[in-house]
Every structure is written in structure tokens, then in C-alpha cells.
Amino acid sequence: MYRYDEFDATFVSERVEQFRDQVARRLSGELTEDQFKLHRLMNGVYLQLHAYMLRVAIPYGVLSSRQLRKLAHVARRYDKGFAHFTTRQNVQYNWPALADCPDILAELATVEMHAIQTSGNCIRNVTADQFAGVAADEVVDPRPYAEILRQWSSLHPEYSFLPRKFKLALTGAAHDRAAIQVHDIGLQVVRNEAGEIGFTVYVGGGQGRSSFVAKKIRDFLPEADLLAYVDAIVRVYNLEGRRDNKYKARIKILVHEKGIDAMREAVEAEFARRPDNLLTLPQADIDTITAYFAMPPLDARTTDAPGTAERRAADPRFAAFVDSNVSAHKVAGYGIVTISLKPIGGIPGDATADQMDAVADLAARYSSDELRVTHEQNLVLPHVALDDLPVVYDALDAVGLATPNIGLVTDIISCPGLDYCALATARSIPVAQRISEHFGEGARSREIGELKIKISGCINACGHHHVGHIGILGLERKGVETYQLTLGGTADETCSLGELTGPGFSSDEVVDAVETLVDTYLGLRHDSAETFLTAFRRVGMAPFKQALYEKNVGAGI
Amino acid sequence: MGQVITANRLKDGTVVFLGPDVGWVEQIAEARVFDAADSIAPALAATKKDEQDNLVIDVYAIDVDSKNGILRPTKLREAIRATGPTVHPEHGKSAANRG
């Protein structure tokens, strides 16, 4: 993985000391809250309902075991012994004292981590496919390009005060695990017929108050033009994006109002106007960065993994774990293990300090010291020998992290909701917990098959409800929480936004409503190979709507 | 029933309520309740000094009522601020309220 050079290390350390001075001046009263707020947000510190919240960047979701141990240490020493992994592959602490934040950031800097640009109207943490560099179906590893974009966008003077926040995501596989089409810019790394690397570029996607699937702006952008072209897009947005209305300030609104053809024309004109070679990527630099992401030396391991096969035959839960939590690796004899942070009835994305330490130990011992964070709020051990699966599974089970439910109905994305978030209108975590408990870990959840439920506690959609196969949006009506349901959303390469079923449901009704949807699906699917999403696309909303509103009484929203 | 004044403490963000005497308290049960006879406006204006003195931020008034002698904000958001989070009974005000 990428290692800081001297410039990076100095840059992050200086930034910590600047923030330490800003916090001291705030606590002494030299800075007012209005003067300080911008600085604190630029360093990832929010004020939430109960306390401050510190959001730490995990660039493109890649972590070493040393870094995860440091995150555990921060949770233990400065917080309440746990942390929360988010839908932007970041980690959040829910209880830090403002006075401690400079010390926390100084500790994080020792392991090459920071909170820069995890808030504010700037280019946020760049996200990527959590299986980047290891997925068997990958064409090109997107991480070197994510790192190049990270370096370019860090404290970029022209883009530190954009009309609104700006999010980039990359994938290097045809199967999109990074939700690139619901980002401001989505980049798919591809190879053309000549075998040359380039990018299919999408722009103007996003969820929230106005939600849009991104439009394709370039079919094939040559590799060397990555920065020049992305720069042209962001410059057009910076100049033309609306600053008069916060709710219309994202690039998705500009693309929608301008139209993709006019947007393309403006971007291409800006791109063509560039002085020659100013941002053209030198091949030597690409090669240098790419070298950081080389596949670690993996010992030749047996592909038939007799120990694993034996355990599979004897232990149904282990077999279920292998089926749902282990994905195909590029190297024969290895697998990618996704660790579910969705224990039945648990809080999606939360991990205790002890669990983080245990996972860090496993990464050091069984996964070439490497970890990933997924936008679906899980962790990944990217290089596990198939032979080691039983021992890894047992170690995960010992700390409550062996839930075999990746991609299933209980692998729910949930934003923090009204339990923590100052913007939320309803709670989302308790709904996730009740759905999880309702379906549990047993045979029925496996019978249901792939089903992605995503819950947001407000219209801003941090819980990605628009792209849930079943999306749940928590709102407040007359002082009471109510939940709207959407169906048919997905963030993969067939990206679509969910369609509203109709009137919302009360907190008491919402789990039954989800059960009704699942039951309806099970009744109408061709066979177990037809997923919820495929079945919905075949039959449409009508049977689900009928089942929901004949059986349940809507809240009449 | 009435109103109380709430804020977050500057140094650690903890939710606080204006107490009956000088200063801020952490539990809503100990907050000063303003009703028609006890106008909230002068007290709210006086909290500006606490903001200037860097004790608290985000000061505002919330509506409360009393059920079985227990003071509760009328709005869910404020009830969760005063007694939550609902999902982590071992942390925050939830823990304090459990005694």
C-alpha cells in the first residue's frame, strides 16, 4: 500500500499543529465559534447531538493492521471503546472531546492517517472498490489512480471552497462494488481494444434531496489525461455550480439543468484550453505510485484446501460463512474475506476496540498485513489462503465477527440517524436492528438470497436508501417517526434509483412492511436464482404495492 | 408545560441545560423550567455571556412537558439529546439516566 513520503509526513504533521493552535485559540476565546467552525470542519470535527464527532479519512478504504490498531487505541483512550465505519469507507468517533482532537490527530499522523477534507465544500475522501487489486474479475487496479487523485485534491487551493462537497469513486472491474454512478465523478478503469489503460467517466450522480444516476461524459479517457480531465470537470463546476441555494449546489444539479451534452461541451472546451502537459501524468509517476500497490508476495497455496473442505462438510455455519463472506481472489489458493460488521441485532458499522485489535492481528498474520473498509460498512481481509479459512473464521467468531451474512437481508447499511446525527429526522439504527433480529441468521435469510436493505434517517441519504433493493427513508411527521419505502434501487453497474411504494409506515409497522415485501418476492420469484432485484425488475411495483397496502395500514403520508 | 434552555459544552460537546442557579447542569431533571410566569427571554439573553466566556455553544430553548413527574422534551430530537442515544444504553445520557 501507499507509504507517506517526506512531503506527506511533514504536510500532515504541520496540519495537526495548525489545528492544535486553532483549538487552543478557540478554547481560550481568541476565536469565536463562527471563526472556528470552518477550521474544525476542515479537520473532520463536527458537533453532533450528544458530543463532537471526529471523522477520519481512510483513503480508498485501504488500511494496514498498524493503522487499525491505532484506530482501536484512539477508540479506547479518547472515545468510548468503539468506532463506526461509514458509507464513505471512513471511520467516525462519536464521543471525542474537542480538547483531545489535536492529540488524536497527532496519534493518527504517526500511522499516516488524518481527517483532512472529511468535511467541508471540498473534494472528499476518494473511495474505491473494496476488492481493488485482488478481485478475480478486475481489469485494472484503481488504487494508484485513487492515490493520484488524493494527492492532487489534498488542499487544492482552487477547490477548497467549491459550491458544495465533491465525491469521487473508482472501480477497476465491470461489476461495480464502489457505487460509482451515484458519485459526483465516477471513474471506471478500463482497457481499450489496444490494451491501453483509460477511464470511462461518469458525472453528476448523487443521492439526497435530488437524486440522479450519473451520466456518462467520456467513454474512454486516456490514462495520462486523468488529472487534466477531472480538473476540467471540477473547474467547470466551480465556475458554474450554484452557490445561491445549498440544495441546488451539487454538480448533479448543474449536470441536470445544463444537460449532459452541454456539460460535456463545456468540459471538453476547458480540457482543450489547458496549457500543454500541465496536468498530463508522466508514465514514470504512474509507475512509481503503481509500485506501491503491487500484489504482496503470496506463498503458493493449495487450491483444494482440504482442511477447509472438511470443515465445510461438518459445520453448516462455517459453510454459510464461506459461501457468503468469501470472494474470488486473483491468486489461486487465496480468497477475499469480508468481515461482517452486521451481527444479528447489532449496530451496522460499529466495531469495538477489542474487535479492531483482533482483526488487525488477523490481517497481520493471515492477510499480508492489509485490510479494507467497504462502503457497505464492513471490513475486508483481502489475501487469505483458503487453507486458513477455518482458523480465521474461528478467530473472528471468538470476537463476534463471524456472522455469515454478506449480501443478505441482514447486511444492512444504516446511517447513524437521529441517535447521533444533528441533521437526522428519524432514527435508522434501531430499525436496522429490528429487521436484523426479525430475519436472523438462519435458513430463511439464505433462502431469501441477495437482498440489500439501506436505511437513511433523513433526506440526505448517507444510508444510500435510494440504491437499496429495499430502501428505507426515516422522516418526521407531526412529531412522529415515519418510514418511506423504495424498491428496485441498486448501486452496481446496472445502477437505478428506487421507486417509492406509497404512503410511509410507522416505526411499529416498518419491520412488518419489509416482511411483506420479502414474502411477496418469495411468492412470485421464478426460482431461488432470481434475486429480489431481478424479480422486481420483471414484475414491477404493482404486486408489492398491493401486498403492502392491502395488508398494512399506511401512515397516510 | 414550559421550556428549558439547552446547549453543548464547548470543550467536550456534552449536552447541558441551564440550571436553576448559576451555571449549567448535565441532566434535564435538574434544569430550570420556564413557564408563563417565569419569562425565558432574559435568561436566554444572559446565556450570551456564557457563549462569550467559552463555556457553551449552540444555545437555544426547547419545549418540555412532565409525565409522572419526569421532565421530557416534547420533540423526539431533543428527547434523544436529553436521554439518548437510544441504541447505546451504556453511553451518554442513557447511562446517566440508568443511574
Side-chain angles (χ1 to χ4, degrees):
Chain A
M1 60 189 283
Y2 183 73
R3 298 300 307 260
Y4 278 12
D5 60 18
E6 202 178 317
F7 172 84
D8 296 319
T10 307
F11 166 71
V12 172
S13 297
E14 285 178 357
R15 181 72 179 212
V16 171
E17 291 317 304
Q18 284 167 9
F19 189 55
R20 188 183 296 285
D21 180 57
Q22 288 156 358
V23 169
R25 287 157 66 206
R26 174 67 190 108
L27 292 172
S28 74
E30 194 183 323
L31 292 179
T32 65
E33 187 61 20
D34 283 348
Q35 290 168 327
F36 176 66
K37 191 173 177 184
L38 188 65
H39 296 299
R40 100 165 136 69
L41 288 174
M42 285 291 206
N43 289 283
V45 183
Y46 288 70
L47 180 65
Q48 295 287 33
L49 285 189
H50 308 287
Y52 291 98
M53 180 270 279
L54 175 65
R55 181 182 294 153
V56 178
I58 301 174
Y60 35 91
V62 175
L63 275 176
S64 67
S65 45
R66 179 166 160 255
Q67 289 173 320
L68 186 58
R69 281 195 195 100
K70 181 59 83 177
L71 293 177
H73 167 75
V74 168
R76 204 174 271 125
R77 174 153 182 199
Y78 300 97
D79 207 88
K80 293 187 185 293
F82 71 101
H84 178 74
F85 291 91
T86 78
T87 51
R88 288 209 58 73
Q89 298 178 307
N90 288 326
V91 66
Q92 293 180 177
Y93 295 101
N94 285 314
W95 305 91
L98 176 62
D100 286 338
C101 285
D103 286 342
I104 297 173
L105 293 176
E107 294 230 27
L108 292 172
T110 65
V111 294
E112 306 182 357
M113 297 187 82
H114 60 74
I116 298 165
Q117 292 180 204
T118 60
S119 174
N121 293 335
C122 52
I123 298 174
R124 301 289 189 88
N125 186 41
V126 177
T127 55
D129 181 357
Q130 68 270 16
F131 294 169
V134 289
D137 65 353
E138 185 175 81
V139 178
V140 183
D141 184 351
R143 290 172 302 169
Y145 308 101
E147 174 56 27
I148 288 168
L149 287 163
R150 185 193 71 77
Q151 295 190 10
W152 163 79
S153 62
S154 292
L155 267 58
H156 192 303
E158 188 176 336
Y159 304 137
S160 290
F161 297 96
L162 293 168
R164 200 76 180 84
K165 57 188 165 184
F166 202 89
K167 299 175 181 177
L168 292 96
L170 294 94
T171 176
H175 175 44
D176 180 6
R177 285 171 287 258
I180 66 167
Q181 291 185 61
V182 283
H183 279 77
D184 296 288
I185 294 178
L187 295 158
Q188 182 185 350
V189 200
V190 292
R191 279 186 192 277
N192 65 10
E193 283 173 5
E196 295 159 336
I197 291 175
F199 304 88
T200 302
V201 186
Y202 295 87
V203 68
Q207 304 182 66
R209 196 172 297 263
S210 311
S211 50
F212 297 99
V213 174
K215 316 284 189 302
K216 194 190 283 185
I217 190 166
R218 256 285 190 130
D219 257 327
F220 186 83
L221 176 74
E223 182 186 32
D225 291 334
L226 173 67
L227 283 188
Y229 196 80
V230 169
D231 190 64
I233 294 174
V234 185
R235 180 170 287 180
V236 168
Y237 166 58
N238 201 20
L239 290 170
E240 297 188 27
R242 290 179 61 167
R243 291 174 193 266
D244 61 323
N245 182 341
K246 176 179 177 181
Y247 301 117
K248 296 191 171 178
R250 297 287 292 267
I251 195 173
K252 62 190 173 184
I253 304 292
L254 178 66
V255 172
H256 176 66
E257 289 183 351
K258 201 175 165 73
I260 185 62
D261 293 334
M263 183 73 188
R264 185 181 296 112
E265 217 170 279
V267 169
E268 294 289 346
E270 178 60 33
F271 179 58
R273 208 174 62 79
R274 291 310 156 103
D276 282 351
N277 301 328
L278 185 67
L279 281 175
T280 304
L281 290 172
Q283 191 58 48
D285 287 5
I286 297 174
D287 293 345
T288 303
I289 301 273
T290 301
Y292 283 110
F293 298 98
M295 183 74 78
L298 298 174
D299 300 337
R301 298 294 282 259
T302 166
T303 48
D304 57 359
T308 296
E310 226 168 82
R311 177 76 179 269
R312 253 190 98 105
D315 181 348
R317 190 168 185 262
F318 174 76
F321 177 85
V322 175
D323 288 342
S324 57
N325 295 42
V326 182
S327 306
H329 195 285
K330 278 182 178 174
V331 177
Y334 285 80
I336 308 166
V337 174
T338 302
I339 300 169
S340 172
L341 296 183
K342 322 288 176 61
I344 301 306
I347 296 178
D350 271 15
T352 66
D354 290 348
Q355 286 176 327
M356 287 188 273
D357 276 339
V359 172
D361 288 347
L362 286 173
R365 193 150 173 203
Y366 298 105
S367 183
S368 301
D369 210 27
E370 208 183 294
L371 290 139
R372 309 286 174 82
V373 182
T374 83
H375 85 270
E376 294 186 317
Q377 300 180 285
N378 294 312
L379 298 175
V380 171
L381 297 171
H383 314 284
V384 178
L386 297 177
D387 257 349
D388 290 333
L389 287 175
V391 63
V392 168
Y393 169 83
D394 288 337
L396 288 171
D397 198 28
V399 290
L401 290 177
T403 313
N405 65 344
I406 296 302
L408 302 182
V409 61
T410 54
D411 183 12
I412 300 169
I413 286 186
S414 170
C415 73
L418 194 54
D419 276 299
Y420 291 101
C421 178
L423 299 175
T425 45
R427 282 173 289 174
S428 35
I429 294 169
V431 174
Q433 289 176 303
R434 284 191 284 128
I435 292 172
S436 173
E437 275 160 5
H438 176 83
F439 288 100
E441 198 187 290
R444 184 149 183 270
S445 69
R446 317 207 77 75
E447 188 202 341
I448 295 163
E450 186 187 64
L451 176 49
K452 298 193 176 198
I453 296 181
K454 307 191 183 200
I455 309 174
S456 303
C458 81
I459 192 75
N460 292 311
C462 294
H464 291 197
H465 65 276
H466 293 291
V467 290
H469 300 165
I470 297 176
I472 302 177
L473 167 62
L475 297 167
E476 186 240 302
R477 291 280 186 268
K478 296 176 187 163
V480 178
E481 291 163 304
T482 184
Y483 296 88
Q484 292 184 344
L485 303 178
T486 49
L487 304 182
T490 179
D492 66 12
E493 63 281 8
T494 66
C495 188
S496 56
L497 303 174
E499 195 182 323
L500 189 65
T501 60
F505 297 86
S506 72
S507 179
D508 286 343
E509 294 167 333
V510 68
V511 178
D512 284 345
V514 171
E515 168 63 29
T516 300
L517 292 171
V518 169
D519 219 32
T520 305
Y521 153 66
L522 290 173
L524 60 73
R525 71 181 180 186
H526 282 321
D527 53 39
S528 61
E530 188 180 43
T531 65
F532 182 93
L533 182 64
T534 314
F536 176 81
R537 285 178 166 172
R538 176 173 58 82
V539 303
M541 179 62 89
F544 293 98
K545 197 163 182 160
Q546 192 181 6
L548 269 183
Y549 296 102
E550 279 180 8
K551 192 169 168 185
N552 292 284
V553 180
I557 310 305
Chain B
M1 166 197 163
Q3 289 189 301
V4 305
I5 296 173
T6 185
N8 290 81
R9 201 155 56 203
L10 172 65
K11 68 174 182 183
D12 60 7
T14 296
V15 176
V16 289
F17 304 92
L18 191 67
D21 306 313
V22 180
W24 298 83
V25 295
E26 290 189 22
Q27 296 304 318
I28 194 167
E30 296 159 14
R32 173 178 170 187
V33 181
F34 297 86
D35 54 24
D38 184 9
S39 170
I40 198 166
L44 205 49
T47 62
K48 285 285 160 217
K49 184 169 181 338
D50 291 342
E51 284 189 84
Q52 282 160 10
D53 289 345
N54 312 305
L55 297 174
V56 290
I57 50 175
D58 265 10
V59 182
Y60 57 98
I62 58 171
D63 294 332
V64 293
D65 60 19
S66 174
K67 214 176 247 178
N68 304 325
I70 295 172
L71 204 58
R72 292 253 319 171
T74 55
K75 289 213 159 58
L76 179 64
R77 178 185 196 275
E78 294 306 326
I80 290 175
R81 271 183 88 245
T83 61
T86 64
V87 295
H88 259 307
E90 70 277 32
H91 298 315
K93 296 283 192 274
S94 299
N97 289 333
R98 287 197 316 169

